[in-house]
Amino acid sequence: MSWGVWSHPGFSAVLALVEERAGLVAPSCPAAAEEAISRAMARAGLDDFDAYRARLAEDPAALDDLLIELTVGETYFFRTPEHFEHLRRVVLPELRERLGPEYTVRLWSAACASGEEPYSLAVLLQTEGWGEHMAVYATDVSRGALARARQATYGEWSLRGPWADRMRPYLRIEGRRYVLSPDVQQRVRFSYLNLALDTWPSPDSGIWKLDVIFCRNVLIYFNRATIEAVARRLHDALAEGGYLFTGPSDPPLGDLAPLESILTEWGVIYRRPPHGATASATHAHGPGPARPDEAPPGVPGARTPFGPMSREPASGAASGAPRVPGEPYSSAASGAHQVPGARAAPGTGSEPLTEAGVASGRSASATVPPPSRSAARAPDAESLATARRALARGDWREAARRLGALDEDPAIAMEAVRALANLDAHAAVEACTEAAARHPLVAGLRYLESLLLLGQGRLDAAERSARQALYLEPSLVVAWLVLGRVLRRRGDTAGALKAWREAESLCAVLPPDAPVPLADGERARGLADVAHGERTRLEAALAAGEEKT
């Protein structure tokens, strides 16, 4: 008898109950899930699935124990330091200015695991002078994890992050363990909370009117309905003007609750609009982009319940593949470098768009299919003529407006930026940057911006835009290709190889003839070949000593 991917139907029945009670999606690795359930059943002293389901239904501790097995409590002090730096440099000063120096700031670490995150928050606030004017709340679904958090003793593994030295002054060595300072411990209030249940926000628990919430790398475990419900409750738990930090692998929440989306240089955070304001999307200048080695292959910062995603390597080369910026185009006479999906805007009479065209100020574009439901069209001849006249006067903003680059519809804006790139590459960069600021959650605009910036040789800005595109859409193959080209030109050969391997792997999981998003109909097979070619050429150059690691 076959039970699909499960060795026994009881495993599926247990997971169905877990989804019903806790909102967790079924794990992606059945074998690991079966091992996790078996370990939890053994601890419960049961080997019958019906009896175990009954125990889970009536005993919250048993359900908590299983949830621990099905999720990864990965944490360390000051994990994802970009979040803490933005909190230190942008959020805390804004709160102090708006609420006054005597205000007690309220923070919540949701899904705090063994306590490294809330203790990191407490240390940061203490070093920033908040002293007695802070309240840090920390909750988790695991009572065992909460017990370890209250003990506040840690091993070297909890200090493996780049900001570990900020924590060491508050730790005392006892044998092979580190004991946290009582002064820091008393700043954090731990309690049990299941995020999936409708028991919060509430004044009794302290989970309400919060100025800052850290709810990171937990929403990835929930099904869609639970994510939507949690998003609404997170909004309701924030004070007006409060901030929400989610993990780099968590789903976007901007459409699920009336939260303002703020795009920083390393990703998106959210804010409950102040009284009288409405939710919108804005751009904030924060600390620099994450390093290439901070995210596992696949989705930057992403994980499945049982570890990072794995993929088969890409297959062999195919002829006629498109080229990424900077790679020789197939026509030797062209002397230019073509990009995936590059084309001229209708009515311009331009040749196919190339990186050489961008660099010389002639033309540049990258096809980005509309993300909206509207059918965006390229600007007509009259709009193009008006834009040319505006450019002749030196008025790029008027040209961008006439073409639609400042439109509220991001699909129209992208078409307009492509058309503007055929007329004036520098104006296109300005217009694309402004359009991306207006639509900070549209990956296509960030990708297009990175391509234009690369053509102008502005490598720092091009890398930042490419990483923002990948934060918004981690599986965006064309952005990985461009990022690889940028990193190679910056001398980061290891980062370039990693980016091209990622592009190759992403193409490999698609059907060979499947169109690749934002690549204007280019197929997975062709772009896999592009990535493979980029990677192998660089590896050959490194082996020959022509380039250095």
Side-chain angles (χ1 to χ4, degrees), residues 27-71:
S28 58
C29 179
E34 290 191 2
E35 291 178 5
I37 294 171
S38 297
R39 288 192 296 268
M41 290 179 67
R43 283 195 296 272
L46 297 171
D47 57 11
D48 178 78
F49 285 103
D50 289 338
Y52 185 56
R53 275 174 49 87
R55 175 73 62 82
L56 293 175
E58 65 187 21
D59 184 358
L63 180 59
D64 292 349
D65 182 65
L66 179 57
L67 293 178
I68 297 169
E69 287 285 356
L70 293 174
T71 58

Side-chain angles (χ1 to χ4, degrees), residues 56-140:
L56 293 175
E58 65 187 21
D59 184 358
L63 180 59
D64 292 349
D65 182 65
L66 179 57
L67 293 178
I68 297 169
E69 287 285 356
L70 293 174
T71 58
V72 178
E74 167 68 9
T75 186
Y76 51 87
F77 290 117
F78 290 107
R79 183 184 183 189
T80 313
E82 294 85 1
H83 290 179
F84 291 93
E85 176 64 10
H86 192 80
L87 177 63
R88 182 193 71 82
R89 190 166 65 83
V90 178
V91 173
L92 292 177
E94 190 277 330
L95 291 173
R96 178 164 279 164
E97 180 180 357
R98 176 163 55 92
L99 302 173
E102 299 303 312
Y103 178 77
T104 297
V105 66
R106 297 165 51 82
L107 300 90
W108 175 32
S109 169
C112 67
S114 48
E116 287 91 334
E117 180 177 273
Y119 286 138
S120 297
L121 291 170
V123 165
L124 178 64
L125 265 69
Q126 193 160 317
T127 57
E128 291 301 307
W130 288 82
E132 302 301 321
H133 298 290
M134 65 166 150
V136 180
Y137 299 88
T139 65
D140 201 90

